[in-house]
Amino acid sequence: MKLVFSAALLLLISRGFAQEVKASSPDGLIMGRVADSASSQPIDYATVIVYAMGNERPVTGVTTNTKGNFQIEGLAPGNYRVVVEFIGYRSKEKANIQISEKQRRASLGTFYLSTQASTLAGVTITAQKGLLENKIDKMVYNAEKDITSQGGVATDLLKKIPMVSVDMDGNVELQGNGNIRFLINGKPSSIFGNNLADALQSIPASQIKSIEVITSPGAKYDAEGTGGIINIILKDSKIQGINGTINSSGGTRLENASFNLNARKNKIGANMFFSGNAQLPSTTLNSSNRPSFDSSGKLNDMLLQNGQSRFLRNGFESGVSFFWNINKRNDLQAEIGYDNFGNSTSGYLDQQQTLYDSLQAISANQLSVTNSNNRFRGQSVDMSLSYKKTFAKEGQELDVLYQSSLGHNKSYFEQEQDSLSNKEVFSGLNSNNTGRDHETSVQADYTHPFSENVKMEAGGKLDLRNITSNTTANDLNTEKGQYQPDTVQSNAMTYNRHVYAGYASLTFPLGEFLNVKSGLRYERTVTDAVFSQASGISIPSYSTWAPSVILSHLFDNDQTIKISYTHRIQRPGYRSLNPFVNASDPKNITQGNPLLKPELGDNYELAYIKSFEKGSSINVVLFYRRSAQDIQPYIVYYPTYEVGDSVYTNVSVNTPQNIGVENNYGLNIYGSVPFTSRLTVRTNLSFFDRFIQNGIVAGANITSFNYRVNMNITYQFKHDFVGEAFGNFNSPRNEVQGRFPSFTSYNLAFRKQLWKKKGSIGFTTTNPFNKYVVQTTAVSGTGFILNSTRKLPFRSFGISFMYKFGKLEFKKDDQDHNRPQGGQDQEN
């Protein structure tokens, strides 16, 4: 961003302007330095512009180097003023700088820049572009400034962001809610529909520019996602010239590499990137015990399982984008990306199932081993074409976006059960599943400012989604020793969903105290689905009205208070609706539920934001989230369970259900303090109380107090050498059927910059003193108790390397010569 800002300003400086003063002894020189007023650290790429006194036309200009120094040569004798600017800071000026035949040099000393108040949606807040920016409608984590995480993946960045938590499997929650709408560059992608955890771990951190967290989205955003929106913005550049970066990292657990190339000449630009990654094979240890009981509470059977699974993940991303500045009022951009990722798991489970009679005596004792293999591969092609038109009136613009995402995925599983008593295979099943996910949308957004403080936004969107899934299952015929088609467990599904949406919002001041941004969004959802194994199922259409409002006030000394409300919806995904039975583990079956209703969310927030002159900041958020028709997995135990002609005995069946109403009341506190110019400490504390009103089992309500604590300490040993320590703890939590485990992670990282910050090499380690993270889960329901333990290998060591190449060209933008003088712009 700082390069873009600097380049944009310098493009306004013409070589011709400089020629006006070359006629008389252009030997003058002005030099100086630019630094941050709070930390005294140098500011590189700050813009330094020279004006002749009494003239608003720039004479010349430069940008500061990596040490914050600048030197401007070739000045004719005269009286000048120098203006220093940089995004996020207040500009500073020194006037009456004399260059004469006798005194050809002028040393201006150091310009100390302080943070600037910037305006967003009619509200002014402090906005220093540091690692984290608190804006009035979102929180922005500037990932490219997190130099110690560049060897990781997207989830390594997410776990550092306030209000966001990531568990050991890569599942993400925002303020305790996992129903998050993920976007890439502001657009949806079918890559997230296949497997969210895999998708996030396929995006290298080195490819991410910033991450936006929006807990109270306005009417302009889709109403999907009761938890809110997380928008991952990938790196690109619109700077003149050719430049790029190369990143690579390797270690004991993760490996990735990425390449980014930017090229821009005048009004046309292009960006391309390619990144690949892999999680090396690791072995997780699993154990569980599940006693089950009859209606009188007597023990029916005891199932003991113990084994291990070997897991690996790999994938790559690629993309190309083109930008064309047609003219001053019209821009066109096209993007196309291809993603491919997958994982595989193989392992075994030793099983002992003990059956009891009515007198609680052992009636049978069965010993067996289940060997299983699972593979998944997903790929997606994302295309978009966007057009932006601006008007003569500042702030008035029209945006039109067409986007299409085409995903393909393929999964396979096989399992065989062997009896340990006679060493024979007595059961086997394999299955192939192929799927297609095609989503196309067209949207238009119009912004019209009625005045400086009053702005209207309106728009509409049509979203069409088509999903097909075909599963072929084969059952082992133990007598013939062959696999034969199993028509009952084979399945075909076609799923079509259309969403028609429109919205309007208005930003305006309410008196002199409040700034208001209010809006209303309407969405109509029409779904048509056909399931081969469940005929006659009709999914009703429904309408959603999603109001939103933000009230804010700016106090003295860079203090902001904000109150917000938004209504959200979480539509059940096609995987949750598909009634297909997955019996890869015949004792623990999963099945979809085509009767699911959408989850409805109401989110309330009260936020206080304060920034201090020395660079410290604090953000306090009180929130209440209510989710009606809450969707959660629900386990039911069956002594016998029939699937077509197959009968499963003593089996747990996991099916998503609308379990009732979930209420979350919480407090989040984020603080950042630069104790010295070298030492910065950031901490995030999150506390919330969860109350679940169980609508399935009367009186079985759940209360759970949850908290999350993390701390990040950064120390700048030298100007080119930095170290970081990060620790995170998430408390255990209660869900509708049981207690899920806590987890702890910690990281140490160091990075050394090389070759005048064009390159760097880093070292990072995660949980270096513990090979495994141990997680114990306790789930219970009618007639059963399930206790399970996993030991996940999480320790890792790695090194990373980054190199920037290319140069920037700062040239005069000729558009100023086409601008009419003395009136409004005539170009449409």
Side-chain angles (χ1 to χ4, degrees), residues 84-301:
V84 177
E85 297 176 335
F86 188 64
I87 188 169
Y89 290 83
R90 295 184 178 91
S91 61
K92 205 149 194 178
E93 176 180 326
K94 290 186 178 181
N96 295 314
I97 303 167
Q98 295 291 334
I99 297 294
S100 64
E101 293 292 339
K102 294 183 179 180
Q103 185 172 342
R104 302 192 176 209
R105 295 193 174 195
S107 179
L108 306 185
T110 300
F111 288 77
Y112 287 101
L113 304 187
S114 58
T115 55
Q116 172 182 324
S118 63
T119 300
L120 178 63
V123 179
T124 305
I125 61 173
T126 297
Q128 180 182 358
K129 187 174 173 60
L131 184 63
L132 190 79
E133 292 181 90
N134 285 310
K135 297 189 176 182
I136 202 64
D137 62 344
K138 72 183 75 172
M139 180 176 292
V140 182
Y141 188 83
N142 293 302
E144 60 185 353
K145 287 183 172 289
D146 186 352
I147 61 175
T148 57
S149 295
Q150 293 304 299
V153 293
T155 49
D156 295 311
L157 297 170
L158 285 168
K159 66 185 180 183
K160 294 184 176 182
I161 300 176
M163 299 181 288
V164 178
S165 63
V166 183
D167 69 15
M168 293 300 172
D169 297 309
N171 301 307
V172 184
E173 289 187 348
L174 179 56
Q175 292 182 342
N177 191 322
N179 295 324
I180 303 169
R181 174 73 159 170
F182 273 89
L183 305 173
I184 292 182
N185 293 334
K187 308 177 186 71
S189 172
S190 61
I191 186 177
F192 294 127
N194 289 318
N195 187 314
L196 178 59
D198 274 358
L200 291 174
Q201 298 202 48
S202 72
I203 305 174
S206 59
Q207 193 58 40
I208 298 174
K209 179 180 181 180
S210 62
I211 299 176
E212 298 178 344
V213 177
I214 309 169
T215 55
S216 298
K220 186 175 183 178
Y221 295 96
D222 291 342
E224 179 80 16
T226 55
I229 294 173
I230 292 180
N231 182 24
I232 298 174
I233 300 176
L234 302 180
K235 291 180 179 178
D236 68 352
S237 175
K238 295 183 178 68
I239 301 172
Q240 296 288 339
I242 297 175
N243 57 87
T245 58
I246 299 172
N247 291 269
S248 65
S249 65
T252 59
R253 186 168 178 266
L254 296 174
E255 294 182 340
N256 64 62
S258 65
F259 172 77
N260 191 299
L261 179 65
N262 307 291
R264 184 173 173 88
K265 184 70 173 179
N266 297 326
K267 297 180 179 182
I268 297 177
N271 165 264
M272 66 86 63
F273 74 90
F274 179 88
S275 60
N277 69 90
Q279 179 177 322
L280 301 180
S282 60
T283 300
T284 298
L285 308 180
N286 306 281
S287 64
S288 67
N289 66 80
R290 190 200 65 201
S292 58
F293 311 90
D294 61 20
S295 57
S296 65
K298 292 183 179 180
L299 185 64
N300 268 344
D301 74 275

Side-chain angles (χ1 to χ4, degrees), residues 777-809:
T777 303
V779 176
S780 62
T782 303
F784 79 97
I785 298 172
L786 175 60
N787 298 296
S788 60
T789 300
R790 292 192 307 162
K791 293 185 176 181
L792 287 80
F794 209 65
R795 179 168 62 192
S796 67
F797 302 89
I799 58 173
S800 59
F801 173 79
M802 182 275 292
Y803 179 71
K804 299 178 183 179
F805 62 90
K807 65 178 182 178
L808 309 177
E809 298 176 7

